[in-house]
Amino acid sequence: MKLLFASIGLFGALGVLRAGSIRESLQTEYSTGAKLHVSRETKVSMETTSMSFEIDGEPMDRGGRGGGRATRNVHRVDYVDLIQEVSEGTPSKIKRTFEAIEGEAVMGDQDISLEAPLNGLTLLLSRDDGEVEAELEEGTVEDDAMLEGHHMALSLDLLLPADSVAIGDEWEPEDGADLLVALGLDLTPKLFLPPAFERGGGGGRGGGRGGGSGRGMGAGTEAFFQAVDWDISASLLEQTEEYEGEECLVVKIEAEGSGELEEPERGGRGERRREFELGAPASNGRSVMRRGTEIEIEMSGKLLFSREAQRPIHFEIKGEISVESDREFSRGESTMRMQRSQAGTIEQSVTISEG
């Protein structure tokens, strides 16, 4: 009897060991003729929590206007990929139709609809020597740069492991650029144009359909994500989850980023260019000394991978953004220093269906 129970205990332990060592392939399977519908919504809210000014070292009273300035950007993108050719497991020719691209920027009581040059258009994507080439099936775009930088495979593939994994295994995407692509932020400047007044049209600062700062009202948030160094981790959780009737493996995603934002050159009308190098003189005789713009971002989310469809079918992530800027301007013997703190959130959801 003791031998029998010992044998049962041994086989039971081996069974648990085998179950714990089962490995899962989280690689998307593509097939010719498949049609994938991708729907992505991204919401970013930012608020100025505090702001202070000093002139020649003396604080300036701003009459209670030290913070409270809030902006909100919402981007929605729906497109359908008809996979026409597959090579070595990945798409090599795709017909991509942007069924709907909608963006809005809100600042206070101002609500601006962002222009979407690719809305309703169809791109023919093909791979040539590793490079993705895009051409319009019909119609035109004002700037051919809108046709650059598109990707053949699902962007969420970049969050998946290259090899099979077991429950509890962790892996890291290659770099922060993969995270930007996975979130679709690398294509934001091509899918959404800043408001007309920020592009030099619509009658200046107060023209077009609203007024305000371009960074607050337009796309621009992707600059925060590009500026930081990322620490990203992904892991396969033990539990499964049902989504739209499909059993899904659950991948946990965590990302932390910190860094300093490089100030852009501000070009545009006439000689309105500022060199943001330390103490460099601007065209108006004023020099700008940038003390720094520090950014901290923390995000967590989950990716649902369908066993039946063998691809991601849902993704959601949330995070917090903190921005601290400190600038000093000088003209002659006079200096002005401006400090600002901003806090914000980002939310994104992606759904991928076949049909």
Side-chain angles (χ1 to χ4, degrees):
M1 286 293 289
K2 291 182 179 180
L3 181 60
L4 175 62
F5 282 120
S7 300
I8 292 175
L10 176 60
F11 283 118
L14 289 174
V16 172
L17 179 62
R18 290 193 185 100
S21 62
I22 293 176
R23 306 188 70 80
E24 302 277 1
S25 173
L26 300 183
Q27 289 293 298
T28 299
E29 292 184 357
Y30 295 95
S31 59
T32 301
K35 184 180 290 187
L36 299 178
H37 180 197
V38 180
S39 178
R40 183 192 304 270
E41 181 178 71
T42 308
K43 300 178 181 179
V44 179
S45 297
M46 296 294 297
E47 180 178 4
T48 299
T49 56
S50 66
M51 182 181 291
S52 64
F53 286 92
E54 293 180 3
I55 295 182
D56 297 333
E58 293 294 328
M60 301 296 294
D61 185 3
R62 304 190 68 240
R65 296 180 297 163
R69 186 181 185 185
T71 64
R72 183 171 66 93
N73 294 320
V74 181
H75 297 158
R76 302 180 186 90
V77 180
D78 284 86
Y79 67 88
V80 174
D81 277 352
L82 175 59
I83 301 176
Q84 298 178 326
E85 290 183 8
V86 176
S87 176
E88 298 181 352
T90 61
S92 55
K93 185 175 292 186
I94 281 179
K95 180 178 180 179
R96 176 169 298 164
T97 301
F98 289 101
E99 294 189 332
I101 306 177
E102 300 173 338
E104 61 180 359
V106 180
M107 179 182 289
D109 58 355
Q110 300 177 27
D111 189 342
I112 295 179
S113 294
L114 302 178
E115 294 184 38
L118 295 180
N119 186 36
L121 299 182
T122 297
L123 301 184
L124 302 177
L125 304 177
S126 59
R127 190 181 304 277
D128 184 18
D129 293 333
E131 297 294 326
V132 176
E133 297 183 354
E135 61 179 275
L136 282 172
E137 184 181 53
E138 60 181 41
T140 60
V141 291
E142 294 183 3
D143 188 351
D144 288 342
M146 301 296 173
L147 304 180
E148 299 173 356
H150 295 270
H151 310 283
M152 301 286 286
L154 294 173
S155 62
L156 294 180
D157 284 357
L158 292 174
L159 300 178
L160 301 175
D163 301 314
S164 61
V165 292
I167 292 173
D169 282 356
E170 295 186 3
W171 62 93
E172 298 179 2
E174 289 189 8
D175 53 39
D178 286 350
L179 180 64
L180 294 177
V181 174
L183 296 176
L185 295 178
D186 62 320
L187 288 177
T188 297
K190 303 177 189 302
L191 301 180
F192 303 95
L193 297 183
F197 64 81
E198 179 65 14
R199 304 197 306 273
R205 183 177 177 84
R209 289 163 288 179
S213 69
R215 180 158 297 210
M217 297 297 291
T221 306
E222 68 277 358
F224 293 156
F225 288 78
Q226 293 170 346
V228 301
D229 295 322
W230 287 101
D231 183 8
I232 312 166
S233 66
S235 59
L236 179 62
L237 302 185
E238 181 177 1
Q239 74 271 18
T240 60
E241 187 171 320
E242 186 175 306
Y243 185 82
E244 299 293 333
E246 296 188 48
E247 183 190 22
C248 299
L249 300 170
V250 182
V251 175
K252 181 180 179 181
I253 306 293
E254 292 183 318
E256 295 184 359
S258 62
E260 185 174 340
L261 180 66
E262 293 292 333
E263 291 288 352
E265 281 190 354
R266 297 185 61 184
R269 303 172 183 175
E271 298 297 322
R272 289 180 56 195
R273 294 177 66 89
R274 299 178 184 174
E275 300 294 341
F276 279 84
E277 298 175 358
L278 186 63
S283 59
N284 58 6
R286 179 174 65 180
S287 63
V288 181
M289 292 178 286
R290 180 175 60 81
R291 292 175 179 265
T293 299
E294 300 293 334
I295 304 168
E296 299 283 343
I297 305 175
E298 293 186 4
M299 296 190 297
S300 62
K302 63 180 180 181
L303 182 152
L304 303 184
F305 189 93
S306 169
R307 278 182 166 140
E308 180 180 355
Q310 198 59 32
R311 59 170 169 77
I313 65 172
H314 186 69
F315 172 71
E316 56 188 51
I317 195 166
K318 295 181 179 180
E320 296 182 351
I321 307 169
S322 175
V323 182
E324 301 285 341
S325 61
D326 187 351
R327 295 182 178 86
E328 187 173 292
F329 308 84
S330 68
R331 176 179 288 176
E333 297 181 357
S334 182
T335 62
M336 182 181 75
R337 184 178 180 183
M338 180 179 70
Q339 295 173 295
R340 181 171 66 169
S341 298
Q342 294 174 281
T345 60
I346 179 171
E347 297 181 40
Q348 184 179 100
S349 64
V350 181
T351 301
I352 304 171
S353 58
E354 189 168 0

